Amino acid sequence: MATIKDIAERVGVSIATVSRVLNYDPSLSVSDETRKNIFEAAEALSYKKRPARKSSPAKIAMLHWYTEKEELDDLYYMSIRLGIENRCQQHDIQVIKCYQSNLGDLKKEGIQGIIAIGKYSSKEVEEIAGISNNLVFVDFSPDEEQFDSVVVDFKKVTEKVLDFFIENGHTEIGYIGGREAFRDQTAEIVDVRELTFSEYMRSAGLFKEEFIYTGAFTVQDGQKWMKKAIQEHGEQLPTAFFAGNDSIAIGCLQALQEANIPVPDRVCLIGVNDISVSKYVFPPLSTVKVYTELMGETAVDTLMERIDGRKIAKKVFISTKLIHRVSGNYL
């Protein structure tokens, strides 16, 4: 059976040129005479295009660091997961769900790559990378020169919120955030929001250690720490608070309402993530919108690029938007 190489040799052109002509590549610039000679040679040699092989659906793993119960307390990771699942469904990609505790089970699944949602210690990263070279981390970038990642620039998010507070006349600003640790308890994870808050406020000459509270990223801790701030500072309570996520911010809002402290007239409060309920609480929660579903979709696209042969690692930053709902302004 004749091949593209046979046609190329007969006409005196490259194999690539023959292939592009026979596939009617509109971007190819060759003379009409060359095209005619290629088609005539193909006919004379009884060349027949082989039907394209139907590729089997890709099979990937989605690795979670949050349990289903923890997802319900912090919808951030649930939204990322839904973005991954929706994109995989669109492209007929089979998804195997897995938790860190049963990571070893993936070795027998025949997966082509892994999307790891959450934060992992060096030891855990090494274990994950030992299962597949095609690996994308979401919300974490352990080594941007080696691994693909899809992340939020929380430094920029924090600066955006503090810029807004200061531009609107606030100088007494508090922070209520959360801290996390790796699952293997090897270290506590440095939270960029808390770190940036301290650096920014120090550089602005406005830093007060007593205005910073940290616990877990939950409604319960948001309520707990705002109550403590109200008790400790009374009339000297900061006029603005940045909450590490919307769950914390909703808890803060509850504590402020219980103390009859009006929001935003007395305390301006801004969270992060723009979870679905944030617009329905009263007053509606101002927040920094993170396009979490897009994070999941982008992770799938990034992983498929890697499976298709991309070698150089890349780090993708997802955009954010400050939404000040009380006045209806979108910044």
Side-chain angles (χ1 to χ4, degrees), residues 112-152:
Q112 295 170 272
I114 300 173
I115 297 176
I117 307 171
K119 301 175 177 71
Y120 300 89
S121 68
S122 298
K123 182 180 177 181
E124 290 169 331
V125 169
E126 185 178 346
E127 186 180 1
I128 298 166
I131 295 174
S132 177
N133 292 325
N134 300 321
L135 178 58
V136 178
F137 287 93
V138 187
D139 195 48
F140 186 55
S141 181
D143 183 347
E144 59 189 60
E145 293 185 3
Q146 184 177 359
F147 302 114
D148 292 338
S149 59
V150 180
V151 296
V152 177

Side-chain angles (χ1 to χ4, degrees), residues 97-114:
K97 299 177 186 177
C98 177
Y99 293 93
Q100 182 68 25
S101 58
N102 59 340
L103 181 61
D105 295 344
L106 291 180
K107 292 180 180 178
K108 55 190 177 187
E109 289 288 349
I111 57 168
Q112 295 170 272
I114 300 173

Side-chain angles (χ1 to χ4, degrees), residues 17-36:
T17 298
V18 173
S19 176
R20 293 173 69 184
V21 168
L22 294 179
N23 283 288
Y24 298 93
D25 184 345
S27 65
L28 178 64
S29 178
V30 296
S31 67
D32 291 340
E33 183 68 21
T34 299
R35 289 181 191 274
K36 175 174 173 289

Side-chain angles (χ1 to χ4, degrees), residues 3-114:
T3 65
I4 288 178
K5 182 180 179 183
D6 296 329
I7 299 171
E9 290 176 350
R10 182 158 180 158
V11 179
V13 295
S14 70
I15 293 173
T17 298
V18 173
S19 176
R20 293 173 69 184
V21 168
L22 294 179
N23 283 288
Y24 298 93
D25 184 345
S27 65
L28 178 64
S29 178
V30 296
S31 67
D32 291 340
E33 183 68 21
T34 299
R35 289 181 191 274
K36 175 174 173 289
N37 290 341
I38 289 173
F39 282 115
E40 286 181 348
E43 184 176 356
L45 294 169
S46 300
Y47 171 76
K48 287 183 173 55
K49 283 178 72 174
R50 292 184 177 89
R53 288 185 300 172
K54 188 175 181 180
S55 58
S56 58
K59 185 178 181 181
I60 68 171
M62 178 168 54
L63 179 64
H64 302 262
W65 86 311
Y66 262 25
T67 64
E68 292 180 4
K69 182 181 181 301
E70 287 171 325
E71 269 193 353
L72 294 175
D73 291 331
D74 186 352
L75 301 180
Y76 176 79
Y77 287 110
M78 178 184 290
S79 183
I80 292 173
R81 174 175 61 79
L82 292 175
I84 292 170
E85 292 174 344
N86 290 339
R87 182 66 107 213
C88 287
Q89 187 174 23
Q90 291 170 8
H91 294 286
D92 193 27
I93 299 169
Q94 184 180 352
V95 185
I96 304 295
K97 299 177 186 177
C98 177
Y99 293 93
Q100 182 68 25
S101 58
N102 59 340
L103 181 61
D105 295 344
L106 291 180
K107 292 180 180 178
K108 55 190 177 187
E109 289 288 349
I111 57 168
Q112 295 170 272
I114 300 173

Side-chain angles (χ1 to χ4, degrees), residues 176-317:
I176 299 181
R179 288 181 180 172
E180 298 167 312
F182 295 119
R183 289 294 183 189
D184 60 9
Q185 300 300 313
T186 53
E188 188 174 73
I189 301 165
V190 176
D191 188 85
V192 176
R193 284 158 287 197
E194 181 183 348
L195 184 64
T196 304
F197 179 89
S198 297
E199 291 175 346
Y200 183 109
M201 296 298 284
R202 281 193 173 95
S203 67
L206 301 173
F207 179 79
K208 291 185 178 180
E209 184 75 43
E210 62 270 25
F211 288 169
I212 297 178
Y213 299 86
T214 55
F217 286 101
T218 63
V219 174
Q220 293 78 11
D221 267 38
Q223 186 176 28
K224 168 187 172 182
W225 292 114
M226 181 57 81
K227 278 184 176 180
K228 185 172 177 61
I230 293 168
Q231 292 168 357
E232 290 182 345
H233 302 296
E235 293 298 320
Q236 303 305 312
L237 185 71
T239 60
F241 275 91
F242 175 40
N245 70 356
D246 284 350
S247 296
I248 290 174
I250 289 170
C252 291
L253 192 59
Q254 291 174 348
L256 290 164
Q257 288 175 334
E258 289 170 4
N260 294 315
I261 297 173
V263 177
D265 296 337
R266 171 58 180 87
V267 172
C268 184
L269 177 66
I270 296 180
V272 179
N273 294 347
D274 192 28
I275 61 175
S276 56
V277 299
S278 61
K279 61 177 72 70
Y280 301 115
V281 296
F282 183 81
L285 182 64
S286 294
T287 184
V288 180
K289 183 175 185 63
V290 176
Y291 296 91
T292 43
E293 285 201 29
L294 178 61
M295 289 178 74
E297 294 168 358
T298 303
V300 175
D301 296 342
T302 303
L303 180 60
M304 295 313 296
E305 288 176 7
R306 181 66 89 157
I307 290 172
D308 288 340
R310 177 172 51 78
K311 301 297 184 185
I312 300 175
K314 73 177 185 178
K315 186 176 186 178
V316 182
F317 286 97

